[in-house]
Amino acid sequence: MPKREQNEIELLRTWTLPSKATLGSSVRAHGILLEIRARLPISSKKSLVLESGELVLAMASEAKTEFNAAAGVVSAAMKDIESLPVIPREIQDILTIKPGERHRWLADGRLPSAGTRTVRLAGRARQITFHVFDPRFVEELLDSSAVDEWREDDVAAAAENRRRAAYKAKLTRSLKKGSSSPSPEAGSAETSTELAGWEEFGRDGFLR
């Protein structure tokens, strides 16, 4: 609720956020609030708040023109609120996944991107670009066991990668050990040289 005395608030309107829009996530609900606030004039932004799953617009009676304009913006936004793309922190909360899982599944195509969005960080000149996701696809994942299956696949793939890495390391060690041992040909040559030397020693008469 805006920071003003209750008796100063005479203009009030609420909109209930449907579960199909929030997907059961408080993070998603707050994201919707911020999205709609971004469409309001600066003077009206803080007049819109989120309370118990409802968007609440409250202003003093003398701000009737501003109130009606803001109410029109919110009402228009609510018409397509269920199709609002899901941003990274929202999908992580909805599906209870970690950032690493989101990045991995996005990279291998299991979690398809619905496009990208670029925003400017509050109070900074720097901009960031991130992927967003189709809310209906996220809803399908929420209603299925796909995420659990993906995790099981990841565990199996990690185990297989460790097995292959261990085998490769063992093979490398075997090859290095084999290359450091003298070959049979080298041993024969050394034996031949030693015998030739003894023949010469005997020919000179030292063994007679």
Side-chain angles (χ1 to χ4, degrees), residues 11-185:
L11 301 174
L12 184 70
R13 185 169 176 182
T14 63
W15 296 262
T16 299
L17 292 178
S19 58
K20 201 170 182 65
T22 64
L23 298 174
S25 167
S26 59
V27 175
R28 170 75 167 165
H30 184 67
I32 291 173
L33 168 66
L34 296 180
E35 176 67 24
I36 298 180
R37 272 184 175 178
R39 305 179 188 185
L40 293 172
I42 295 177
S43 60
S44 303
K45 291 182 185 296
K46 292 186 178 180
S47 297
L48 182 69
V49 297
L50 178 65
E51 292 184 355
S52 302
E54 290 186 333
L55 294 177
V56 180
L57 180 66
M59 293 185 187
S61 58
E62 60 268 21
K64 187 174 181 179
T65 300
E66 182 182 352
F67 177 84
N68 289 337
V73 171
V74 177
S75 295
M78 289 294 293
K79 291 179 180 178
D80 61 350
I81 203 67
E82 295 178 6
S83 63
L84 189 68
V86 179
I87 63 177
R89 66 170 176 266
E90 295 172 358
I91 194 173
Q92 289 169 194
D93 185 65
I94 294 168
L95 300 179
T96 318
I97 63 176
K98 299 177 180 179
E101 291 175 322
R102 174 174 58 82
H103 286 297
R104 182 166 61 251
W105 298 339
L106 176 64
D108 64 23
R110 284 180 282 183
L111 197 59
S113 170
T116 59
R117 177 182 293 183
T118 300
V119 298
R120 187 181 302 278
L121 296 177
R124 303 181 186 178
R126 180 189 171 198
Q127 291 182 329
I128 59 171
T129 299
F130 51 84
H131 289 273
V132 295
F133 307 91
D134 183 349
R136 300 287 68 84
F137 178 74
V138 175
E139 184 179 24
E140 290 176 7
L141 291 179
L142 182 62
D143 294 338
S144 70
S145 58
V147 169
D148 292 333
E149 293 173 0
W150 291 353
R151 286 189 175 124
E152 292 175 2
D153 292 343
D154 289 348
V155 170
E160 177 63 16
N161 289 338
R162 287 194 297 270
R163 187 190 67 78
R164 290 182 179 180
Y167 175 78
K168 184 177 180 180
K170 182 178 180 181
L171 182 61
T172 301
R173 289 194 299 269
S174 297
L175 292 174
K176 288 182 178 179
K177 184 177 180 181
S179 63
S180 62
S181 301
S183 62
E185 292 78 5

